[in-house]
Amino acid sequence: MKRFFVLIALILPLALSAQTKLSEALADDFSTRVAHHYQLKNDSISGYIAEQLTRSGAGGLDIDSTMFNLKNDPTALDAALKYLYQYSDCNRQRFISNLRSMNVQGNNVFPLATYTANKYKNDTKALLEDKSDFLKTYTGPVTGKTPPVAVSAAPVASSTSAVASETAAAGSTTTATETNTATPTAAVTPTVTDTRNWEVRPLFQIRNPEQLVEMYGKDNITKRDASDLAGNKEGEAYVIYPDSDDELEIQFDGENGNILTFSHFPSKWKSPYGIKAGDPLDKLSKVNGRPFKINGFEWTNGGLVSDWQGGALQGKGVTILLKANNTGDPKQYDQVTGDKTLRSDLPVLKKLDVIIQSVAFKSN
């Protein structure tokens, strides 16, 4: 008996450590199930994950491609598991129930649950608070998507499995509290009558002004001279809803992609990574995941982010121009002006109330 307990003591740490890294088989299975459910209309789980990935920036500029290829993006896959855990109220048993409702293979359910619960065990409070804020503006899932041509369609479950999955998803919660957890679509729908589409993702796909006019109407489009965020002339741009808070500038560069620039706030657009003009420096730091470098103000390229320092926005085609709102104290403002490079976590930047003045996104 003593030898038995010694053996258990040796095996248990190994078993637990096996869950600290996601295996290729686990990643592939979870990715496949998410891709399949993302093709179902009004799927609450994949819809919740997709919207949270979009708002956090973990989903990149093309959330549809990300949702169909999670296994090829470890950062997005980890974030998807995190948001499913959040969707499950950070409750391991509820998380397991939701994995099963997605038809994740039986032998993969507990390893996925163990991996996720261990990884985010210290983030429970923050995740629940974020979920509460998220549900205030979440209007329900936008799923039923078609896989991109470059992506093979996810295997379709048998009709019996699909029905069982949807039944399990609908019947896995019975109490009032759990109903609120498992069906975020129950969030209050905004009462505004504005029916315009504020999703920017389609704008990265179009290639000419004619398509833009077809989408938004001739009266809502105007043409202007374009400049980059450093003030350099860059040909022409087309502006949607000009001279309004919702003004958005788009530059076409053929197959090289488009540049979308936001310089007005508040704005109704659902911008990539959830970043908008007017956002505080702290939010930008949170999205990037680490401090970054900024050019000194009142100088060449002043206020532009010069280096993301390997953060989440590195290489993502995001250009940010910052400005300081509180410039009345010369002693403070002089610390951040001139030919110098600043770290974004410099305390004086917070005192100066630095915010995003303009943000440009380049598709590729």
Side-chain angles (χ1 to χ4, degrees), residues 29-143:
D29 187 21
F30 180 69
S31 177
T32 299
R33 300 321 307 155
V34 169
H36 168 65
H37 277 260
Y38 196 53
Q39 296 174 67
L40 306 177
K41 288 187 177 181
N42 302 315
D43 184 78
S44 61
I45 291 178
S46 64
Y48 183 96
I49 291 172
E51 182 64 17
Q52 279 287 42
L53 287 176
T54 299
R55 295 194 189 189
S56 69
L61 292 178
D62 188 346
I63 187 62
D64 292 343
S65 292
T66 299
M67 290 292 284
F68 284 112
N69 283 285
L70 283 176
K71 65 182 179 182
N72 294 328
D73 188 338
T75 300
L77 189 140
D78 262 348
L81 284 167
K82 176 177 71 173
Y83 291 125
L84 177 56
Y85 189 54
Q86 181 188 58
Y87 174 92
S88 308
D89 264 359
C90 301
N91 180 293
R92 189 173 185 274
Q93 290 306 117
R94 202 167 295 154
F95 183 73
I96 288 172
S97 176
N98 284 324
L99 286 172
R100 286 174 171 161
S101 77
M102 296 172 70
N103 284 346
V104 169
Q105 293 180 25
N107 60 330
N108 289 336
V109 169
F110 287 101
L112 279 170
T114 301
Y115 169 83
T116 307
N118 285 343
K119 188 174 183 69
Y120 299 107
K121 63 183 178 181
N122 297 322
D123 301 325
T124 298
K125 182 179 179 181
L127 286 172
L128 293 178
E129 289 177 349
D130 178 69
K131 178 181 180 181
S132 178
D133 290 339
F134 171 80
L135 292 179
K136 292 176 183 176
T137 56
Y138 183 51
T139 58
V142 182
T143 56

Side-chain angles (χ1 to χ4, degrees), residues 7-23 26 92 110-119 121:
L7 184 61
I8 291 296
L10 291 173
I11 293 175
L12 186 59
L14 293 176
L16 290 176
S17 64
Q19 308 307 327
T20 60
K21 184 177 180 180
L22 205 59
S23 71
L26 292 177
R92 189 173 185 274
F110 287 101
L112 279 170
T114 301
Y115 169 83
T116 307
N118 285 343
K119 188 174 183 69
K121 63 183 178 181

